[in-house]
Amino acid sequence: MAAEHHQHPLIAERIAKIEAIRQQGFNPYPYRYDRTHFAQEVVDQFEHLSESQENVRVCGRIMSLRRMGKASFCHLEDASGRIQIYIRRDDVGADVYNGLFKKLEVGDFLGAEGYAFTTKTGEKSIHAGAISVLCKSIHPLPEKWHGLKDKEIRYRQRYADLIMNPDVRRTFELRSRIIRETRLFMDGLHFLEVETPTLQPLYGGANARPFKTHLNALNIPLYLRIADELYLKRLIVGGFDRVYEICKDFRNEGMDRTHNPEFTMMEFYQAYADYYDMMNITEKLIQTVTQNVLGTLNITYQGMEIDLSTFHRAKWFDLIQTHTGFDTKSMDEAQLREVIHQLNETALELRTQFHQEHPNDSASQASVPEPIVVDDTMDRGHLLEEIFDVWVEPKLVQPTFVMDFPVENSPLAKKHRSDDKTVERFELYIANAEYANAFSELNDPIDQRERFEAQMGLKARGDEEAQVLDEDFLTAIEYGMPPTGGCGIGIDRLVMLLTDAPSIRDVLLFPMMRPLKGDENEPEAE
RNA sequence: GAUCCGCUAGCUCAGUCGGUAGAGCAUCUGCCUUUUAAGCAGGUGGUCCUGGGUUCGAGUCCCAGGCGGAUCACCA
C-alpha cells in the first residue's frame, strides 16, 4: 500500500512539497497551535472583532484556495464552521509566502493569525499577519464542487465522507444528542445505568442466531450477546428496582437497510410495573428526546408526515381482523394455513388490479400485500407473525403500540391477565418499522421453564432462532422476581427516524462492509 | 440467499453503430496583491473492476467472478 502511495504522481508531488517546506526551515508537522477563536465565533462576534482590530488566531483544514499572484484567499474549516483568510505576501513576508504558503494546498491544516475585516464582496474574513502549516496532507481530497458521492467510499472511508459532507457530521452530532437525552431521561426517572456481559456462555433474551467465539483461558465457547434481557432481570431479582443499559448487541443474520450485525439497543426494567407502565415511559421518552433534539414532535421520515404527539394503542388480533377480515385468535395451525391460502389469492388479485391501474409503479413500494410463503417448520406463532408483517405492518405509519401478542413467540412475556391466548407484550410501530418491544415480564418459574422447553422443541424442529434454556436464569427467577415491566428500544432505528436516514448505514459511523480483496490481513478463514 | 442496477483519471461524470480513451475540478509550468466553482495560456495523469470468449479489432457484445447500491426473504 505504502509503495503504491509513493508511486502515484499526486502523492509524490505532495511528498516533494514536504521536503521543500522543510528545506525552507518550516516544520510541516508541528505539535500545537494556540487558537483564540473557532471559525464560527469569528463570524458571530464579527462586529466587535472588526471594531477592536484585535488579533485572532484560528486553525483548521484548507477547504478552498484561490491564488492571485502575490495575494490569496482560502477557507479554513474547523469543527464549528468556515472562515475566509486573506493572505498577502507583503503581510506575511516573502519567505513565508513563497517558501511555505505556495507549497500548501486544499486539504492541508493551517493556523492563521490576523484581524477581522470585510472583503469587497462582503464576506467576513481574517486578514492574516502570520500563518503556519499545522499538517501537510499527502492524499488529495475529492472535488470541491461535486464532493464525495460514491456510497461505497463514503461508508468505507468515513473520514473522507465527514470532511466533504457537512450533513454527515450533523447526523452524528444528532445521534450523540439523542443518546445523551435518552440517558438524561432515564436518569431522571431514577433508573440505574448498569453494564452486563457482552461475552456470554449462553445467549438469550431474543430470537436470533448468535456470533460464537472462544475463551482461551477457560477453553470454553462463548457467545456475543444478542440481548441484555436475562442479565438485567437477574439484577431485578437482586434488588435493583430500576435498571437500564445502552449497549451493542450482535446478531449473526442478514444485513440490509435496517440491519447491521452489531447495533445499539437500550433495554430498561422496572420492578412493580407492567407493560402499561412501559408504554407510558416509552411514549414520554421518545417525545422528550424528539422535542429536546429537534424542537418539534411533527417530523418527516422518507416523505411520511409523522405526528409524535399522539401514540395510538391497538390490540394485535384486532389489527389482523381489521386489515384481513379474519378473526384468527382461536384458530389452530391448520386453520391459519387455510387463511393464508385465501389471503394469498386476495393478494394476487390486489396486485393484478394494481398493475392494471398503475402500470408503471411498483406494487411492493405501494405496500400492496405480497403472497406469504409458508413452510413446514412454521408453527402457529410464525404463521400469525407472517400475516401481521404482510397485512398490518405496512399500514402502521403513525406511532402505534401494538398490544397483546400471540403466546407462542413470546417465551419471556407474562400471559395476559384476562386472555390466556395472548401475552402482555407490545411493540411500537412508527413509519412501518418496529422501534420498541416490551412485556410484563414472566416471573412464574414453572411457566418460564415450560416456555423454554417449548422453544427447545422449536429448535429441534429446525428453528435456528429459537431460544435456549438458561438454567441459571431459571434459578434467579426461582428466588423470586417481583412483577416487572421490561422494554427494549432500537437506538439506531430511533436515530434513523429523527435524522430522516433511509439506511442504518447512514447512522453508523463505521457500518459493516465486506473487506476489499487483498486488503484483509487474513486471520485464518474457517 | 434471490432479482435488478452500477463500476471509465485523485474526485464528479461523458463515451454514439464494435474502429486512435474524453471533459470539468484537482495536480504541474508561466502570468496575476479583495477572490469566492477566481481568471488566462500551456502540460502531466488510464489495470475502462477482474478473468475468459466472440471478432481483423472490445470501455462497448457474450460467459464467469469481485465489490457496492436498491428491492425481496429473515430478524430489531
Side-chain angles (χ1 to χ4, degrees), chain A residues 8-28:
Chain A
H8 196 284
L10 290 176
I11 305 255
E13 195 67 54
R14 286 164 177 242
I15 290 173
K17 285 178 182 174
I18 290 175
E19 202 42 49
I21 288 170
R22 285 204 167 106
Q23 279 176 6
Q24 295 295 318
F26 301 102
N27 180 0

Side-chain angles (χ1 to χ4, degrees), chain A residues 48 55 66 120 217 290 337 341 407 515:
Chain A
H48 159 73
N55 251 3
R66 293 170 293 284
K120 272 184 187 169
T290 305
R337 285 179 190 270
H341 181 71
V407 67

Side-chain angles (χ1 to χ4, degrees), chain A residues 192-205:
Chain A
L192 181 73
E193 184 171 12
V194 296
E195 293 172 281
T196 65
T198 302
L199 295 170
Q200 306 180 350
L202 277 179
Y203 59 96

Side-chain angles (χ1 to χ4, degrees), chain A residues 187-380:
Chain A
D187 294 345
L189 292 181
H190 303 106
F191 279 81
L192 181 73
E193 184 171 12
V194 296
E195 293 172 281
T196 65
T198 302
L199 295 170
Q200 306 180 350
L202 277 179
Y203 59 96
N207 297 331
R209 289 153 68 184
F211 286 93
K212 196 172 181 178
T213 184
H214 185 265
L215 173 59
N216 292 337
L218 300 183
N219 192 25
I220 52 168
L222 286 175
Y223 300 94
L224 272 59
R225 74 170 144 226
I226 59 172
D228 4 2
E229 168 139 4
L230 301 185
Y231 282 96
L232 291 176
K233 282 200 247 183
R234 283 170 169 97
L235 296 178
I236 297 289
V237 169
F240 290 118
D241 275 359
R242 297 181 182 198
V243 292
Y244 77 101
E245 181 168 19
I246 296 175
C247 66
K248 287 276 180 74
D249 288 350
F250 305 85
R251 299 190 183 174
N252 208 341
E253 293 176 343
M255 293 166 54
D256 61 25
R257 208 180 68 255
T258 55
H259 297 85
N260 196 66
E262 59 177 289
F263 62 101
T264 303
M265 277 275 285
M266 176 170 78
E267 291 190 31
F268 56 94
Y269 292 81
Q270 178 178 350
Y272 314 109
D274 61 13
Y275 75 146
Y276 290 104
D277 297 301
M278 295 298 104
M279 260 181 270
N280 292 336
I281 291 174
T282 301
E283 178 169 354
K284 192 78 185 146
L285 166 70
I286 290 177
Q287 288 171 339
T288 303
V289 169
T290 305
Q291 184 68 47
N292 289 352
V293 171
L294 298 181
T296 175
L297 292 179
N298 292 298
I299 63 170
T300 302
Y301 183 71
Q302 302 297 298
M304 290 176 270
E305 303 282 336
I306 293 161
D307 178 3
L308 293 173
S309 61
T310 310
F311 283 44
H312 303 90
R313 299 185 182 195
K315 288 176 186 278
W316 201 91
F317 280 104
D318 291 351
L319 284 169
I320 294 259
Q321 184 155 19
T322 302
H323 293 286
T324 69
F326 290 101
D327 181 2
T328 51
K329 196 190 249 183
S330 304
M331 290 185 181
D332 62 19
E333 193 175 316
Q335 288 171 307
L336 285 172
R337 285 179 190 270
E338 174 55 25
V339 165
I340 287 176
H341 181 71
Q342 290 184 32
L343 286 175
N344 282 353
E345 285 184 359
T346 309
L348 286 173
E349 280 169 29
L350 285 172
R351 295 179 85 75
T352 307
Q353 188 184 337
F354 181 86
H355 283 301
Q356 283 167 358
E357 288 169 11
H358 312 85
N360 297 321
D361 291 338
S362 157
S364 46
Q365 276 176 3
S367 65
V368 178
E370 302 264 348
I372 297 167
V373 181
V374 295
D375 66 60
D376 291 342
T377 68
M378 297 166 85
D379 70 346
R380 178 174 183 274

